[in-house]
Coordinates of all heavy atoms in Angstrom, one line a residue:
L1 N 51.8 70.7 -30.7 CA 52.6 69.5 -31.1 C 54.0 69.9 -31.6 O 54.1 70.8 -32.4 CB 51.9 68.7 -32.1 CG 52.5 67.5 -32.7 CD1 52.7 66.4 -31.7 CD2 51.7 67.0 -34.0
N2 N 55.0 69.2 -31.1 CA 56.4 69.3 -31.7 C 56.9 67.9 -32.0 O 57.3 67.2 -31.1 CB 57.3 70.0 -30.6 CG 58.7 70.3 -31.2 OD1 59.3 69.5 -31.9 ND2 59.2 71.5 -30.9
A3 N 56.9 67.6 -33.2 CA 57.3 66.2 -33.7 C 58.8 65.9 -33.3 O 59.1 64.8 -32.9 CB 57.0 66.1 -35.1
A4 N 59.6 66.9 -33.6 CA 61.1 66.6 -33.4 C 61.4 66.4 -31.9 O 62.1 65.5 -31.6 CB 61.9 67.8 -33.9
A5 N 60.8 67.2 -31.0 CA 61.0 67.1 -29.6 C 60.5 65.7 -29.1 O 61.0 65.1 -28.2 CB 60.4 68.2 -28.8
A6 N 59.3 65.3 -29.7 CA 58.7 64.0 -29.2 C 59.6 62.9 -29.6 O 59.9 62.0 -28.8 CB 57.3 63.9 -29.9
L7 N 60.2 62.9 -30.8 CA 61.1 61.8 -31.2 C 62.4 61.9 -30.4 O 62.9 60.8 -30.0 CB 61.3 61.9 -32.7 CG 60.4 61.0 -33.6 CD1 59.0 61.4 -33.5 CD2 61.0 60.9 -35.0
A8 N 62.9 63.0 -30.2 CA 64.1 63.2 -29.5 C 64.0 62.7 -28.0 O 64.9 62.1 -27.5 CB 64.6 64.6 -29.5
S9 N 62.8 62.8 -27.5 CA 62.6 62.4 -26.1 C 62.7 60.9 -26.0 O 63.1 60.4 -24.9 CB 61.2 62.8 -25.6 OG 60.2 62.0 -26.2
L10 N 62.5 60.1 -27.0 CA 62.7 58.6 -26.9 C 64.1 58.2 -26.7 O 64.4 57.3 -25.9 CB 62.2 58.0 -28.2 CG 60.7 58.0 -28.5 CD1 60.4 57.2 -29.7 CD2 59.9 57.5 -27.3
S11 N 65.0 58.9 -27.4 CA 66.4 58.5 -27.2 C 66.9 58.8 -25.8 O 67.7 58.2 -25.2 CB 67.3 59.2 -28.2 OG 67.2 60.6 -28.1
A12 N 66.3 59.9 -25.2 CA 66.7 60.3 -23.9 C 66.2 59.3 -22.8 O 66.8 59.1 -21.8 CB 66.1 61.7 -23.5
S13 N 65.1 58.6 -23.1 CA 64.5 57.7 -22.2 C 64.8 56.2 -22.4 O 64.5 55.4 -21.6 CB 62.9 57.8 -22.2 OG 62.4 57.5 -23.5
S14 N 65.5 56.0 -23.6 CA 65.8 54.6 -23.9 C 67.1 54.1 -23.2 O 67.8 54.9 -22.7 CB 66.0 54.4 -25.4 OG 67.0 55.2 -25.9
F15 N 67.3 52.8 -23.2 CA 68.5 52.3 -22.5 C 69.7 52.7 -23.4 O 69.7 52.6 -24.6 CB 68.4 50.8 -22.4 CG 67.9 50.3 -21.1 CD1 66.7 49.7 -21.0 CD2 68.6 50.6 -19.9 CE1 66.2 49.3 -19.8 CE2 68.1 50.1 -18.7 CZ 66.9 49.5 -18.6
A16 N 70.8 53.0 -22.7 CA 72.1 53.2 -23.3 C 73.1 52.6 -22.4 O 72.9 52.4 -21.2 CB 72.3 54.7 -23.6
A17 N 74.3 52.3 -23.0 CA 75.3 51.7 -22.2 C 76.7 52.1 -22.8 O 76.8 52.3 -24.0 CB 75.2 50.1 -22.2
R18 N 77.7 52.2 -21.9 CA 79.0 52.4 -22.4 C 79.9 51.3 -21.7 O 79.6 50.8 -20.6 CB 79.6 53.8 -22.0 CG 79.7 54.1 -20.6 CD 80.2 55.5 -20.3 NE 80.4 55.8 -18.9 CZ 79.6 56.2 -18.1 NH1 78.3 56.5 -18.5 NH2 79.9 56.5 -16.8
A19 N 81.0 50.9 -22.3 CA 81.8 49.8 -21.8 C 83.3 50.3 -21.6 O 83.8 51.1 -22.4 CB 81.8 48.6 -22.7
R20 N 83.9 49.8 -20.6 CA 85.3 50.1 -20.4 C 86.0 48.7 -20.3 O 85.6 47.9 -19.5 CB 85.6 50.9 -19.1 CG 87.0 51.3 -18.9 CD 87.2 52.1 -17.7 NE 86.5 53.4 -17.8 CZ 87.1 54.5 -18.3 NH1 88.3 54.4 -18.8 NH2 86.4 55.6 -18.4
V21 N 87.1 48.6 -21.1 CA 87.7 47.3 -21.2 C 89.0 47.3 -20.3 O 89.7 48.3 -20.3 CB 88.2 47.0 -22.7 CG1 89.0 45.8 -22.8 CG2 87.0 47.0 -23.6
G22 N 89.1 46.2 -19.6 CA 90.3 46.0 -18.8 C 91.3 45.0 -19.4 O 90.8 43.9 -19.8
V23 N 92.6 45.3 -19.5 CA 93.5 44.4 -20.2 C 94.4 43.7 -19.1 O 95.0 44.4 -18.2 CB 94.4 45.2 -21.1 CG1 95.5 44.2 -21.8 CG2 93.6 45.8 -22.2
S24 N 94.4 42.4 -19.1 CA 95.2 41.7 -18.1 C 96.6 41.3 -18.5 O 97.4 41.1 -17.7 CB 94.4 40.4 -17.7 OG 94.4 39.5 -18.9
N25 N 96.8 41.3 -19.8 CA 98.2 41.0 -20.3 C 98.6 41.9 -21.4 O 98.0 41.9 -22.5 CB 98.1 39.5 -20.8 CG 99.5 39.0 -21.2 OD1 100.3 39.7 -21.8 ND2 99.8 37.8 -20.7
S26 N 99.6 42.7 -21.1 CA 100.0 43.8 -22.1 C 100.6 43.2 -23.3 O 100.8 43.8 -24.4 CB 100.9 44.8 -21.4 OG 102.1 44.1 -20.9
W27 N 101.1 41.9 -23.2 CA 101.8 41.3 -24.4 C 100.8 40.7 -25.3 O 100.9 40.8 -26.5 CB 102.8 40.2 -23.9 CG 103.9 40.7 -23.1 CD1 104.1 40.8 -21.8 CD2 105.1 41.3 -23.7 NE1 105.3 41.4 -21.4 CE2 105.9 41.7 -22.6 CE3 105.5 41.5 -25.0 CZ2 107.2 42.4 -22.8 CZ3 106.8 42.2 -25.2 CH2 107.6 42.6 -24.1
T28 N 99.8 40.0 -24.8 CA 98.8 39.3 -25.7 C 97.6 40.2 -25.9 O 96.9 39.9 -26.9 CB 98.3 38.0 -25.0 OG1 97.6 38.3 -23.8 CG2 99.5 37.1 -24.7
G29 N 97.4 41.2 -25.1 CA 96.2 42.0 -25.2 C 95.0 41.4 -24.8 O 93.9 41.9 -25.0
A30 N 95.1 40.2 -24.1 CA 93.9 39.5 -23.6 C 93.1 40.4 -22.6 O 93.7 41.0 -21.8 CB 94.3 38.2 -22.9
V31 N 91.8 40.4 -22.8 CA 90.9 41.2 -22.0 C 90.4 40.3 -20.8 O 89.8 39.2 -21.1 CB 89.7 41.7 -22.8 CG1 88.7 42.4 -21.9 CG2 90.2 42.6 -23.9
D32 N 90.7 40.7 -19.6 CA 90.2 39.9 -18.5 C 88.8 40.3 -18.1 O 88.0 39.5 -17.6 CB 91.1 40.2 -17.3 CG 90.7 39.3 -16.1 OD1 90.7 38.1 -16.2 OD2 90.3 39.9 -15.0
S33 N 88.5 41.6 -18.2 CA 87.1 42.0 -17.8 C 86.6 43.2 -18.6 O 87.4 43.9 -19.2 CB 87.2 42.5 -16.3 OG 88.0 43.6 -16.1
V34 N 85.3 43.3 -18.7 CA 84.6 44.5 -19.3 C 83.6 45.0 -18.3 O 82.8 44.3 -17.8 CB 83.9 44.0 -20.6 CG1 83.2 45.2 -21.2 CG2 84.9 43.5 -21.6
T35 N 83.7 46.3 -18.1 CA 82.7 47.0 -17.2 C 81.7 47.7 -18.1 O 82.0 48.5 -18.9 CB 83.4 48.0 -16.3 OG1 84.4 47.3 -15.5 CG2 82.4 48.7 -15.4
I36 N 80.4 47.4 -17.8 CA 79.3 48.0 -18.6 C 78.5 48.9 -17.7 O 78.1 48.5 -16.6 CB 78.4 46.9 -19.2 CG1 79.2 45.8 -20.0 CG2 77.3 47.5 -20.0 CD1 78.4 44.6 -20.3
T37 N 78.4 50.1 -18.1 CA 77.6 51.1 -17.3 C 76.4 51.5 -18.1 O 76.5 52.0 -19.2 CB 78.5 52.4 -17.0 OG1 79.7 52.0 -16.3 CG2 77.7 53.3 -16.1
F38 N 75.2 51.2 -17.5 CA 74.0 51.6 -18.1 C 73.5 53.0 -17.7 O 73.9 53.5 -16.6 CB 72.9 50.5 -17.8 CG 73.1 49.2 -18.4 CD1 73.8 48.2 -17.7 CD2 72.6 48.9 -19.7 CE1 74.0 46.9 -18.3 CE2 72.8 47.7 -20.3 CZ 73.5 46.7 -19.6
N39 N 72.6 53.5 -18.5 CA 72.1 54.8 -18.1 C 70.9 54.7 -17.1 O 70.5 55.7 -16.5 CB 71.6 55.7 -19.3 CG 70.4 55.0 -20.0 OD1 70.2 53.8 -19.9 ND2 69.7 55.9 -20.7
R40 N 70.4 53.5 -16.8 CA 69.5 53.3 -15.7 C 69.5 51.8 -15.3 O 70.1 51.0 -16.1 CB 68.1 53.8 -16.1 CG 67.4 53.0 -17.2 CD 65.9 53.6 -17.2 NE 65.1 52.8 -18.1 CZ 64.7 53.1 -19.3 NH1 65.3 54.2 -19.9 NH2 63.9 52.4 -20.1
A41 N 69.0 51.5 -14.2 CA 69.1 50.2 -13.6 C 68.6 49.1 -14.5 O 67.6 49.3 -15.1 CB 68.4 50.2 -12.2
V42 N 69.4 48.0 -14.6 CA 69.0 46.8 -15.3 C 68.5 45.8 -14.3 O 69.1 45.6 -13.2 CB 70.2 46.3 -16.2 CG1 69.8 45.0 -16.9 CG2 70.6 47.4 -17.1
A43 N 67.5 45.1 -14.6 CA 66.9 44.1 -13.7 C 68.0 43.1 -13.2 O 68.9 42.7 -14.0 CB 65.8 43.3 -14.4
S44 N 67.8 42.7 -12.0 CA 68.7 41.7 -11.4 C 68.8 40.4 -12.1 O 69.7 39.6 -11.9 CB 68.4 41.5 -9.9 OG 67.1 41.0 -9.7
G45 N 67.8 40.1 -12.9 CA 67.7 38.9 -13.7 C 68.7 38.9 -14.9 O 68.9 37.9 -15.6

């Protein structure tokens, strides 16, 4: 048994996401779109 490795494996298998923000107006800073990239497929629902 390795308790630390077992717990660490959960974070590797859990969902994670990163986001990239797109700016449509450099004066107002208004965000037109946000792209979200998951570490594995998310259901089409």
Side-chain angles (χ1 to χ4, degrees):
L1 176 69
N2 184 319
L7 264 66
S9 72
L10 288 186
S11 61
S13 63
S14 61
F15 266 113
R18 65 180 186 273
R20 185 178 294 274
V21 176
V23 177
S24 63
N25 189 314
S26 59
W27 293 99
T28 65
V31 173
D32 181 62
S33 66
V34 175
T35 300
I36 306 168
T37 304
F38 290 95
N39 67 334
R40 65 175 189 260
V42 176
S44 58

